[in-house]
Amino acid sequence: MDYAAVDYFFIYFSVFITSQAFCLNILWNTRGLRSQLKDSVPVTGLCPQAGPYGVQDSLRRGFSSVKNELLPSHPLELSEKNFQLNQDKMNFNTLRNIQGLHAPLKLQMEYRAARQIQRLPFLPSSNLALDTLRGTDDTIGFEDILNDPVLSEVMGDPHIMTEYKLGVL
Amino acid sequence: SRASRKRECRIMATVSVCQYHRGGFSFENCKRNALLEADINKLGFSSPAARKTGTTICGVVYKDGVVLGADTRATEGMVVADKNCSKIHYISPNVYCCGAGTAADTEMTTQIISSNLELHSLSTGRLPRVATANRMLKQMLFRYQGYIGAALVLGGVDCTGPHLYSIYPHGSTDKLPYVTMGSGSLAAMAVFEDRYRPNMEEEEAKRLVRDAIAAGIFNDLGSGSNIDLCVITKGKVDYLRPHDVANKKGVRTGNYRYKHGTTGVLAKTVTPLNLEVVEENVQTMDTS
């Protein structure tokens, strides 16, 4: 079930959805629903990231080695990388089962709109609308305490990040 | 479709230079650490051990509330790192949590859950419940699959009454009238199994918890020093630290210092050392 491929929900431009009620639903989705979590951890995340010519871009990404790309360096690496994604998938599935297909479609459209409210690619964005929709605006996790990107010593190269964002890289 | 492929690329390339990096745990050094560990073990040394609270912690539900107890020793391998550490952590005004396992993990986990519970209670406008704290803790610990080594005893009194939970590092929880955790848990549990009865009075419950922790202190090498107690009732919390100093440090009975006059003085000569000032220069400090 790939929600991203469903494009016809663009015709819904309604913003009157009571997202508060949906958020409450989503926050307390504690059942797990393992039966609905099909293969949600893509192992392809570790493959050498091929550039436009199909080989690894050594200048930008450094040298590659087969050992580094075959296995994750820590059992939690993959699950942590995809954690938010899997949570969203699980919540949308539950929502679909409870309220019907329209509910996750409308909510996903709001997510898409909120995700577009960003500053330039190399600057930190607050993601306030996205946080409010997800319900994470009043929770604290390790991502707020450890390795806060606002406090990092180095900054990403603005040119490369903007080119990547615009797709011309 | 192109949109979905683009999203997949964005997800795959999270740790590359093209994406604004997120916070949280970073696994960059794991491979390097594994290689270093292998090399060090080949030479015969061992990597430094994390500070644990090899511990005895326990809790009991009595007539009006909950009594939590803990010892106060923190160990680093075979060495006592802290003789008087505090293992009963504050979660909310009516909920406290004892922590065993890796000291840093218990400390940070309880602090994060305390903050989350505070935000949640501000959002609902009510006093937080023990079941909420339990749910938050178990979900976080399960997410990290036991790599956060925190074994907790969570107790408190809320609008529905007194509750006591034990939470294991992998995320499983038990709701029981009496629980023990840590390396001295078997000694403490033996005392509980012998003398626990439902609806005890406060003094009896405090005595029971004190005896259980003392059993852990005297029979387990990982537990020691004092006994801390926390009595939680509806509207009142008694944090007794220390409730009982079970292991007092001894007083030295002898002294190796010699008294004045032990060695007799036979003769004394005094030679004054006259120094004359040759040169004097002043260097001002640059404080601009």
Side-chain angles (χ1 to χ4, degrees):
Chain A
M1 206 74 61
D2 183 13
Y3 288 121
V6 175
D7 287 316
Y8 54 75
F9 65 80
F10 273 117
I11 61 173
Y12 290 99
F13 285 110
S14 54
V15 283
F16 62 87
I17 305 301
T18 53
S19 54
Q20 199 61 30
F22 289 173
C23 275
L24 230 47
N25 258 335
I26 282 166
L27 271 180
W28 297 112
N29 183 359
T30 52
R31 291 255 157 221
L33 298 170
R34 194 176 159 69
S35 57
Q36 294 180 346
L37 271 179
K38 301 170 285 210
D39 226 8
S40 44
V41 176
V43 193
T44 50
L46 289 172
C47 282
Q49 286 138 31
Y53 298 103
V55 287
Q56 225 232 357
D57 193 354
S58 298
L59 179 68
R60 293 200 179 91
R61 299 211 171 86
F63 295 114
S64 66
S65 89
V66 176
K67 198 165 57 147
N68 278 343
E69 263 105 45
L70 270 182
L71 294 169
S73 51
H74 194 274
L76 285 181
E77 187 178 352
L78 283 175
S79 88
E80 278 300 295
K81 225 196 302 193
N82 297 316
F83 184 73
Q84 195 57 52
L85 197 70
N86 291 339
Q87 284 288 95
D88 289 345
K89 268 194 200 174
M90 204 163 68
N91 291 332
F92 283 138
N93 256 317
T94 334
L95 204 56
R96 185 211 171 131
N97 289 336
I98 297 173
Q99 300 193 6
L101 186 60
H102 72 96
L105 290 183
K106 285 179 180 166
L107 205 52
Q108 275 204 301
M109 207 193 65
E110 290 194 19
Y111 272 52
R112 276 202 180 197
R115 213 172 288 140
Q116 287 171 7
I117 307 168
Q118 298 266 317
R119 303 186 67 193
L120 289 171
F122 48 91
L123 293 174
S125 323
S126 70
N127 290 322
L128 190 59
L130 199 58
D131 273 350
T132 312
L133 275 177
R134 279 206 184 111
T136 54
D137 58 341
D138 56 359
T139 50
I140 293 179
F142 286 113
E143 58 272 0
D144 301 309
I145 300 169
L146 303 172
N147 276 333
D148 198 355
V150 174
L151 300 172
S152 75
E153 296 143 351
V154 295
M155 180 182 158
D157 187 0
H159 300 285
I160 299 211
M161 292 172 103
T162 328
E163 281 176 16
Y164 183 80
K165 185 76 182 288
L166 296 173
V168 295
L169 187 64
Chain B
S1 83
R2 190 164 161 274
S4 62
R5 214 169 9 96
K6 234 189 175 163
R7 174 176 299 172
E8 236 195 295
C9 278
R10 217 176 296 151
I11 291 160
M12 283 197 306
T14 324
V15 289
S16 80
V17 296
C18 307
Q19 280 273 295
Y20 190 75
H21 94 270
R22 292 190 288 213
F25 288 109
S26 162
F27 298 102
E28 283 168 1
N29 291 331
C30 284
K31 286 206 167 77
R32 176 206 74 170
N33 291 348
L35 283 171
L36 278 177
E37 186 108 16
D39 282 342
I40 285 180
N41 282 336
K42 237 184 289 178
L43 289 172
F45 300 108
S46 64
S47 52
R51 178 186 295 198
K52 299 178 78 84
T53 56
T55 283
T56 312
I57 49 174
C58 67
V60 89
V61 175
Y62 73 103
K63 195 175 69 166
D64 305 320
V66 161
V67 179
L68 300 172
D71 72 308
T72 58
R73 175 182 287 184
T75 54
E76 241 172 59
M78 283 289 120
V79 176
V80 173
D82 193 347
K83 286 190 285 250
N84 197 358
C85 74
S86 154
K87 297 184 190 177
I88 307 186
H89 309 284
Y90 165 90
I91 303 267
S92 84
N94 58 330
V95 176
Y96 278 72
C97 181
C98 310
T102 312
D105 288 346
T106 60
E107 189 74 40
M108 296 262 61
T109 307
T110 48
Q111 280 177 355
I112 287 180
I113 296 303
S114 168
S115 305
N116 275 329
L117 209 59
E118 172 77 16
L119 287 168
H120 185 254
S121 93
L122 285 169
S123 169
T124 56
R126 300 183 172 122
L127 203 61
R129 298 195 188 188
V130 191
T132 317
N134 176 49
R135 191 57 76 125
M136 289 180 173
L137 280 164
K138 89 161 48 189
Q139 282 179 350
M140 167 181 281
L141 290 174
F142 183 73
R143 172 179 170 180
Y144 293 102
Q145 292 289 297
Y147 282 95
I148 292 190
L152 308 164
V153 165
L154 177 77
V157 179
D158 55 25
C159 56
T160 47
H163 301 281
L164 186 65
Y165 294 89
S166 71
I167 304 163
Y168 291 83
H170 282 264
S172 64
T173 61
D174 287 313
K175 183 175 187 326
L176 294 164
Y178 57 95
V179 292
T180 66
M181 294 287 253
S183 57
S185 62
L186 293 172
M189 187 51 94
V191 175
F192 273 164
E193 289 284 359
D194 187 27
R195 286 161 44 185
Y196 171 80
R197 54 180 190 79
N199 290 331
M200 287 182 284
E201 295 299 326
E202 177 171 334
E203 280 311 313
E204 189 189 347
K206 278 162 72 169
R207 246 195 328 268
L208 180 61
V209 171
R210 187 246 157 239
D211 288 342
I213 301 287
I217 285 176
F218 288 117
N219 296 298
D220 173 46
L221 290 177
S223 321
S225 300
N226 313 330
I227 300 172
D228 289 349
L229 233 58
C230 185
V231 184
I232 310 174
T233 49
K234 195 171 184 60
K236 189 165 80 89
V237 170
D238 264 335
Y239 195 104
L240 306 160
R241 176 176 156 79
H243 170 69
D244 195 340
V245 184
N247 295 350
K248 254 198 245 317
K249 202 167 173 198
V251 179
R252 274 181 219 275
T253 48
N255 199 353
Y256 280 112
R257 272 184 174 254
Y258 291 102
K259 285 200 301 286
H260 277 291
T262 309
T263 314
V265 177
L266 296 176
K268 193 160 78 168
T269 44
V270 177
T271 321
L273 197 64
N274 293 322
L275 298 167
E276 51 178 272
V277 180
V278 173
E279 190 198 329
E280 188 178 323
N281 61 352
V282 177
Q283 241 180 5
T284 51
M285 196 165 66
D286 186 8
T287 54
S288 57

